[in-house]
Structures are given as C-alpha cells and as structure tokens.
Amino acid sequence: AGWLTCLGVVAIINGSANLLPIPVLHGGHILFLLWEGATGHALSETTQVRLTLVGFLVVMIVFLRTFAADLFWLWNLLGGS
C-alpha cells in the first residue's frame, strides 16, 4: 500500500507540473488555445514553434540545474573534496 500511495503522489505531482503554462508542456498548448479563443485567431506557426523552443530550453535548464545539484550533493555525501 505504501508503494501505491507513493506512485499516486508522484503521478499527481507530474500531472500538476505538466499543466504549468510553459509552451513545451500541455499547459502551454492550453495557453495557445485560450489565446485563440480570446483573440479569434491562432498564433502563427512560427511563433508557436519559437515559444515551444523557449519552453523546452527553460525545462532543460531547470533539469540540468537540478541534476548538477544532485551530483554535487552526492559528491559531498561520499566525501568528495
């Protein structure tokens, strides 16, 4: 039961993060649709691609920063100098 609860919590956190309004995530696509609904026209494909690329870069920077922090933590934990 403990594992199942843990998996459920991870799934909820992942789903919530996926709805953030970052263009590469589902929340970004929802934002594009809201824009289209509010203005009556969609963003150009070029603009959508550029915003998606920026969103991807933001996600990758956060990922790499977190990964580096974990590596430094592990290095210090193992007695690195």
Side-chain angles (χ1 to χ4, degrees):
W3 257 133
L4 194 57
T5 302
C6 182
L7 287 175
V9 169
V10 168
I12 290 171
I13 291 171
N14 187 33
S16 300
N18 202 16
L19 290 176
L20 291 172
I22 299 173
V24 76
L25 303 176
H26 288 101
H29 294 288
I30 292 170
L31 197 60
F32 290 156
L33 293 173
L34 287 173
W35 173 268
E36 185 176 353
T39 64
H41 61 86
L43 291 170
S44 71
E45 186 175 343
T46 304
T47 301
Q48 288 185 24
V49 168
R50 287 180 181 164
L51 288 173
T52 301
L53 179 60
V54 169
F56 176 74
L57 291 174
V58 167
V59 168
M60 290 310 297
I61 288 169
V62 170
F63 170 77
L64 291 173
R65 164 64 173 92
T66 305
F67 185 69
D70 287 346
L71 286 178
F72 288 131
W73 175 81
L74 184 60
W75 177 261
N76 289 331
L77 182 70
L78 296 176
S81 37

